Each structure stands twice: as C-alpha cells, then as structure tokens.
Amino acid sequence: MPAFWHWFIAIGTVVFIIWCAWLISWSAKQGPQNVADEDLVGHKWDGDLEEWNNPAPKWWLYLYFITIIWGVGYLIAYPGLGAFEGALDWSQHNQYEAEMAAAAERYDPIYEDFAAMEFEELSRHPEANQLGASLYASYCTTCHGSDARGAAGYPNLTDDDWLWGDSEAQIVSTIANGRVAVMPALAPALGGDEGTANMVRYVRSLSGIEEADSGAASMQPMFVALCSACHMADGTGNPMLGAPNLTDDVWLYGSSSDAIMTALVHGRNGVMPAHGDLLGTNRSKILAAYVYNLSAAERQAD
Amino acid sequence: MRHDTIERSVNLMMVLIILAVSIGGLVELIPLMYSSEANEPAEGIEVYSPIRLAGRDVYVREGCYNCHSQMVRPFRSETERYGPYTTAGETVYDRPFQFGSKRTGPDLARVGGRYSDAWQRLHLQNPRALVPESTMPTYAWLEDRPVDPELLTAKLETLQFLGDPYTDEQIASAAAEVEGVSEMDALIAYLQGLGTNRRNRR
C-alpha cells in the first residue's frame, strides 16, 4: 500500500479521536447563550410530560472518555495507525506462527517417536492407535464411514483384503499420494449386449456366485485377452493397478449383475484423494499403522 | 448545556452524525482499495474458467454460503483441518466474495481435491448416502438443469469489462465449452478448484 494511505489512516484516526474528545467535552459544558439547568427544553408530550435541560449523567460521560482512552491505548499497543506496528510488535501472522511453533514443539517429538517405530509394532501401540483414530475421524470418515466399513465404491478398511496392497510402503503411499483406479468401459469390445451379459455371468462364476453356463464359459478367452492385463488371467487382480481380485467374495461395488454390468458399460474410476499435504509424513505413517491394525483381527483369524 | 445547540438543529446534528459514522469506514475501507495485497491475485490465482464460473453462480444462487464459509482463519485448529489460512489476494476474482459467516457445514475454502468428483456428485445428490447424520439439503435436481451458455457469455463479458483478465478467445469459446454441461457438473468443477493454489503446508 502506498505510503500516502498509511498517513491517511494514521492522521484520519488521530484527528477523529481528538475531535470526538473535543466534541464531547464541548457539548457537556454549560454555554452562556444556552438555557439554564432548571429550564425546560420546550418539548411536551401527552399534554404534560416535559423535559429538563439537564447535563448527561456523569457515569455516562465518563464511559465516553474511558472508551477514548482505551482506543488510544490500543492504538499504541497494537498495529492500527497506518504503517505503525504497535509497541507490542503483535501481528496476526506472528501469533499464528507462534501457535504453530508451540504445537510443533509439543507434538512433533511424539509423532517422531511413533514414526521411528517398526510398522507392525506401531500398529499395535495403543497410544499411536488413539492418535490414528482421531486422525481417521477428522479426515477419512466422510468416505470410508465412521466404522471404516466403507460403502459401495469406498473400500472396507476393516477387512484383510487390499486393493492397493498391505505393506507399509503401499498403505502409506495410498494415504499420502492417493490412488486413482481406472477400469475402462469395455462393453463395446465384448460383442454387444449378449457378449456383455455373458461376461457378467463369467465374472460372477469366478467367485462361484453362479455356475458358468456355456455362454459364460465361452468368454474365458475374451477375459484373458481384455481383462487379464489388469485382473490377471485367473482374475485374482493386481495391487499395482488397484484391480480387484474377482475370484473372492469381497466386492468394491457389489457382486450383483447390475453392479458388474455398470463396470463394463461405464467403467469405474475410484479415487482415493492424496492426504500427504494435510498429514505430513509422520502422521501418514501413524494413520497407515492404525488402518493396518483395523484388519488385525481378520488377519489373525486367517 | 451546549448539547442543546446540536439537538435543536437538525441540520447540524445530521452533519455530525454522518461525519461520526463515516470516518471509520473511510479510514478502514478506502485505503484497502489501493492495497496490492487485496487487489492483486495471490500466487497461482487465476480467473475462473467458464465452467467454474457457472458453478460459482450456482453456489451463490443456491445459498451454499448460508451454511458454508470460505475463509480459513489463521488459527492452528483451522489450518490443521482445512489447510493454509486464506489471504485477501486469493479472492480478487470473487464477485461477491464468499467468505460467509456461518458454518453449519465445514469451511469449503480448500475443499478442492479433498474428495473425488464421484463423491461430490453423490454427496450433492444425497448427502445422507455418504454422511448419515448430515443436515445438508439434497441438490439432485441440479443434474437436470443445463448451464445457460448465453447467460454465461454475457457474464464473462461483464467481468472482462470490470477488468478481469478474460481473453476474447476464452469468451468466444465459453458457450461451446459448456455444451451438455449440467449445473451439477459446473458446481462440482467449481468445488474441485477451491483453494488448490495453496495445498502444501508441510
């Protein structure tokens, strides 16, 4: 801002304060040409209600002056008069930085200690898990649900079935960098409505939901040709691409014929947004360990 | 008392009241109009693309600002949750700005990229499908309303007239760009761009 405006603010404010102080003290005084205290001001309401020309009550007047004194004190202590930064050297930015620095001093060592731990051990650490749970509640519930069981299109994080892999590096990367799953719309290549319907039944037969009839079975070479690049020839999926295992009973979008048909006709594009900017590396790892621990029960049962 | 003098003269009283009321505004507002911090775009801030502009107007029309602010304040509790605090230079192309003053729902200043397009769509269609306890209204019908290309072109011309750096080519191609685009698509495009100029904090 050009210097002129700093002066405009400073002078405008100071002159105005002085003027206010003058106006109040001037008007509170008895003037020679004015009517005396005992006189009536001359208004009359409801026939006989009249008003004395009394001075404003002292406490009222003092409130004005206290306000003005407060204002002057404030302008000396804090930035307000143009470019003058105030005697306390306070600024919104500095206050924020101080708040952040205090928090970093207090919490960073805790995060660092946790982040230095071995992943499996961290995932079983009760305090780290508490921290993970609160991070999860702030950032993840809107998609994966408050119970982490997900919804159609949003994976269940409490099962031991992983689209993008369950190693420390993979889970941390999922959280920090995000994931974009690309399942292309392949129906046009499947030989019309009949071919697509057959493929749906073939996919369902992979996990034994239904028996493959001859139409479905005939799609096997087509599956190898079109789908195996991502889902593998046997349909067991590929965590590098986030391509789900089609032979188990865990479904991202559902096992119904309709859901599978939609995948073939419209494709699927699941997006897990990147959270690294918000979380930072240490907290990404703590959260990853928490997520990993959510499926510990199922892992042990296996 | 001398205040009698002021109280008996309507004209004098009027002048003094106007002076008393306006000086604060003059001193606080006018200099800001000449402040580069408030007038020049912050790093990474560009004019809204035509689709996002259309989405912004849906946002304003539907009154999303009644429940959502778009200003992250400089407190740790806010920046931890939403991302870096908002600066004046980020809102230079907002006419009117969407700071808002009520947070029934979360602040949206940095919601861009926090969710997928699919999430945003489903959430606008039925917030309770994703957040069971949500009190946000449904906006499913935005899906059936196409963006009006003529109105959009006129808006872009107006903004160009007001000094926003839209190029003539941008304005000429805007109508074609929004062909077949629903208000829902435009709103999602708007939301996905919010605050993406500053994400890095760590």
Side-chain angles (χ1 to χ4, degrees):
Chain A
M1 198 157 57
F4 168 78
W5 291 111
H6 288 302
W7 287 107
F8 175 86
I9 296 172
I11 295 172
T13 309
V14 170
V15 168
F16 184 62
I17 291 177
I18 296 173
W19 181 73
C20 282
W22 173 81
L23 183 69
I24 293 168
S25 37
W26 174 84
S27 64
K29 284 207 191 84
Q30 178 82 55
Q33 77 280 36
N34 288 104
V35 282
D37 274 9
E38 310 81 56
D39 287 340
L40 297 169
V41 292
H43 304 143
K44 210 171 199 180
W45 296 277
D46 291 349
D48 58 353
L49 263 184
E50 293 187 82
E51 201 187 357
W52 296 109
N53 181 26
N54 279 346
K58 281 278 176 302
W59 65 269
W60 178 263
L61 211 57
Y62 291 153
L63 272 186
Y64 275 126
F65 287 115
I66 291 172
T67 314
I68 288 174
I69 293 166
W70 174 269
V72 171
Y74 182 90
L75 288 170
I76 291 171
Y78 290 97
L81 292 177
F84 176 59
E85 282 172 1
L88 294 183
D89 214 21
W90 180 93
S91 80
Q92 210 174 20
H93 180 76
N94 290 347
Q95 173 171 307
Y96 173 73
E97 291 300 326
E99 192 189 2
M100 292 304 284
E105 198 180 326
R106 183 155 163 223
Y107 299 114
D108 279 2
I110 306 179
Y111 296 152
E112 264 155 35
D113 286 351
F114 283 145
M117 282 168 72
E118 195 268 323
F119 190 67
E120 284 271 352
E121 194 190 336
L122 178 65
S123 77
R124 287 189 301 268
H125 194 292
E127 279 158 42
N129 273 328
Q130 261 177 20
L131 200 61
S134 75
L135 291 172
Y136 180 87
S138 321
Y139 297 109
C140 322
T141 44
T142 35
C143 289
H144 294 285
S146 42
D147 59 359
R149 290 181 181 278
Y154 299 95
N156 181 346
L157 301 179
T158 66
D159 64 14
D160 192 26
D161 185 87
W162 300 83
L163 293 163
W164 296 96
D166 67 349
S167 72
E168 171 185 349
Q170 283 165 322
I171 305 178
V172 169
S173 175
T174 299
I175 294 173
N177 309 323
R179 299 286 191 186
V180 179
V182 182
M183 157 80 201
L186 288 168
L190 293 173
D193 290 349
E194 202 194 329
T196 310
N198 282 341
M199 184 56 96
V200 170
R201 286 206 306 285
Y202 176 75
V203 169
R204 279 163 62 88
S205 77
L206 287 172
S207 50
I209 304 174
E210 59 181 68
E211 285 289 321
D213 54 21
S214 59
S218 72
M219 297 309 280
Q220 198 267 343
M222 191 82 105
F223 186 90
V224 174
L226 286 174
C227 321
S228 66
C230 303
H231 292 283
M232 312 308 278
D234 57 359
T236 48
N238 183 348
M240 301 289 287
L241 300 164
N245 182 345
L246 301 176
T247 66
D248 60 12
D249 58 0
V250 179
W251 295 83
L252 184 56
Y253 294 94
S255 62
S256 69
S257 302
D258 282 351
I260 298 172
M261 183 68 92
T262 307
L264 297 178
V265 175
H266 298 291
R268 293 285 193 191
N269 279 291
V271 177
M272 159 75 199
H275 284 78
D277 287 346
L278 280 160
L279 292 165
T281 29
N282 291 346
R283 296 197 305 174
S284 294
K285 178 169 171 183
I286 296 169
L287 190 49
Y290 169 77
V291 168
Y292 184 67
N293 189 48
L294 289 175
S295 47
E298 191 169 303
R299 215 169 4 258
Q300 265 140 31
D302 287 347
Chain B
M1 296 292 110
R2 277 185 185 137
H3 60 78
D4 191 66
T5 318
I6 301 174
E7 280 164 21
R8 277 175 198 281
S9 161
V10 172
N11 291 329
L12 177 61
M13 180 131 111
M14 211 155 60
V15 169
L16 291 177
I17 288 179
I18 290 175
L19 197 66
V21 171
S22 56
I23 192 90
L26 290 178
V27 162
E28 288 189 11
L29 299 181
I30 294 186
L32 276 186
M33 295 179 192
Y34 298 91
S35 155
S36 57
E37 267 178 36
N39 291 331
E40 278 164 26
E43 204 186 324
I45 293 292
E46 280 166 22
V47 284
Y48 288 109
S49 70
I51 291 187
R52 293 187 56 217
L53 183 74
R56 203 196 77 101
D57 289 340
V58 176
Y59 184 93
V60 175
R61 186 191 69 202
E62 295 307 326
C64 308
Y65 56 81
N66 285 310
C67 289
H68 293 286
S69 61
Q70 281 191 27
M71 178 161 61
V72 183
R73 295 174 294 174
F75 307 127
R76 177 169 173 267
S77 51
E78 301 231 332
T79 55
E80 283 291 335
R81 174 162 179 195
Y82 300 121
Y85 57 78
T86 306
T87 58
E90 288 181 69
T91 57
V92 289
Y93 298 123
D94 278 340
R95 298 171 193 268
F97 61 76
Q98 297 299 313
F99 295 153
S101 56
K102 188 156 184 296
R103 284 183 181 164
T104 304
D107 188 274
L108 297 181
R110 306 223 179 269
V111 82
R114 281 290 289 276
Y115 302 104
S116 56
D117 289 2
W119 188 94
Q120 292 287 7
R121 189 174 302 272
L122 190 55
H123 185 252
L124 286 166
Q125 278 166 350
N126 179 14
R128 275 146 301 281
L130 290 159
V131 185
E133 60 273 20
S134 179
T135 54
M136 177 162 143
T138 56
Y139 293 95
W141 42 276
L142 292 177
E143 201 82 75
D144 308 323
R145 290 175 58 106
V147 169
D148 180 347
E150 273 169 47
L151 187 62
L152 181 64
T153 309
K155 278 179 198 159
L156 286 164
E157 280 163 357
T158 311
L159 287 174
Q160 189 189 41
F161 175 76
L162 290 175
D164 285 5
Y166 285 106
T167 62
D168 292 340
E169 295 82 69
Q170 250 175 322
I171 297 179
S173 62
E177 246 173 82
V178 295
E179 205 181 292
V181 169
S182 69
E183 289 188 344
M184 177 73 90
D185 301 327
L187 182 57
I188 293 171
Y190 169 67
L191 291 172
Q192 290 292 36
L194 284 179
T196 44
N197 70 312
R198 267 169 87 217
R199 305 271 309 182
N200 280 346
R201 218 165 56 62
R202 288 164 201 280

